[in-house]
Amino acid sequence: MLVHGVVWDSSSPALRVFSPDTEFTDVALAQGSALGLRVIPGVWCLGHTKVHGPGDRTHVPCPGSSPAERGKQCGACFARDDSRLMHDFHRGGSVPTGLRAYLMQPHWLYVATFANGATKIGTASAQRKWNRLAEQGAVHASYVAHAEDGRVVRLLEDLVTRELGLVQQVRSAAKVAGLVEPRAAVELSSLNRQHASSVRELLGGLAMTGYSVVEEEWERPALADTLCTVRTQGGLRHPYPATFDAGGHGLRIHSLSGAVALAGLPDASGNDIEGSFVADLGALKGRKIEFGPHTTHIPALQDSLF
């Protein structure tokens, strides 16, 4: 099965996998659920997407099941993907009719803060207002504007980056490292509100039309609370001691923020070893896996973890 990533289509997240026989299957990542798999070496193309309108898109599997060349796509699928065109739409770039219909729906502008204090400006379509932030793994987030369409919201996003210096992307590695040693919840909440206030002040003074300034806080999923706000009760928290590029892996999910899990590692007898581990399940995207009763190999120098 080919992993397409961790999705939050509802408050119940899942690992989404694809196979030619069953198309897409969502494997639940609920609290207490076990995840055992073996990773086949290599990174493979995820295919491409055709957008027909708001909430209507088609996934086209890679016809050659080719290795990935650009991100998680081969060159041919990258060239055919509608989604890549949306980033230049507000600068006058041409887009297909279906993608234009998607981009012309209302959008939200948000400020998201992560566990290490990194803060970004971002956008979400009306239909994915909540899910977008859940999948990104925000610890705290605030909506700062509601735009009439995707062109306006991306103009606002670029303006905030230019005037206030808020980035538009936070690297996955930084999110994972931050969740091993998260900053205090009250500190992160205050930081997010300060940035959001600065953005609202900036937007409130513009002569531009097509949007309204809003004050609304995003509601973080309950499954993320333990990972985002407190250290593991009665034990230590460590980086996951393996990489998801090969071999067997076995995890028991305690908490999940975006694609990052706080997990126990069962041994051969099924009992969790001491401590909990922060693992980036997003690293499985583009990997081929087989599910089964696998366990994670703990390095011989495991005493250094404790």
Side-chain angles (χ1 to χ4, degrees), residues 41-223:
V43 182
W44 309 90
C45 177
L46 298 179
H48 65 279
T49 300
K50 291 297 181 186
V51 181
H52 310 296
D56 184 11
R57 60 182 60 201
T58 301
H59 169 256
V60 182
C62 180
S65 298
S66 303
E69 299 170 340
R70 303 191 63 171
K72 298 297 187 294
Q73 293 174 299
C74 68
C77 285
F78 176 83
R80 296 169 181 156
D81 198 299
D82 284 352
S83 300
R84 69 182 178 85
L85 301 174
M86 68 174 60
H87 304 295
D88 289 323
F89 171 66
H90 62 295
R91 302 186 185 100
S94 61
V95 297
T97 302
L99 181 58
R100 177 178 291 276
Y102 168 83
L103 290 169
M104 293 308 290
Q105 69 177 309
H107 278 69
W108 295 84
L109 187 71
Y110 64 78
V111 174
T113 300
F114 300 88
N116 63 350
T119 301
K120 61 161 285 187
I121 189 75
T123 72
S125 66
Q127 293 185 335
R128 290 185 52 77
K129 176 185 177 184
W130 181 87
N131 314 65
R132 174 80 171 151
L133 283 158
E135 288 176 354
Q136 293 207 353
V139 175
H140 291 281
S142 303
Y143 301 103
V144 291
H146 183 246
E148 63 184 20
D149 59 48
R151 184 188 67 84
V152 170
V153 82
R154 283 169 176 79
L155 290 172
L156 296 176
E157 182 184 32
D158 285 352
L159 177 70
V160 170
T161 296
R162 184 169 64 251
E163 297 296 326
L164 299 180
L166 284 183
V167 300
Q168 298 181 13
Q169 184 175 11
V170 175
R171 294 184 303 111
S172 296
K175 296 178 185 179
V176 177
L179 288 166
V180 176
E181 290 284 348
R183 291 167 65 172
V186 65
E187 180 183 356
L188 294 175
S189 176
S190 175
L191 184 63
N192 182 261
R193 290 175 180 174
Q194 289 172 24
H195 283 299
S197 177
S198 297
V199 174
R200 293 186 184 108
E201 183 178 357
L202 171 67
L203 300 184
L206 298 179
M208 184 175 165
T209 61
Y211 72 95
S212 58
V213 177
V214 299
E215 292 194 26
E216 181 182 344
E217 291 192 4
W218 172 70
E219 183 179 350
R220 185 178 62 215
L223 185 58

Side-chain angles (χ1 to χ4, degrees), residues 252 266-272 295:
R252 195 184 319 277
D267 57 23
S269 63
N271 298 314
D272 289 359
T295 58

Side-chain angles (χ1 to χ4, degrees), residues 27-44:
V27 179
L29 296 173
Q31 185 177 24
S33 61
L35 183 66
L37 54 90
R38 182 177 72 88
V39 179
I40 299 167
V43 182
W44 309 90

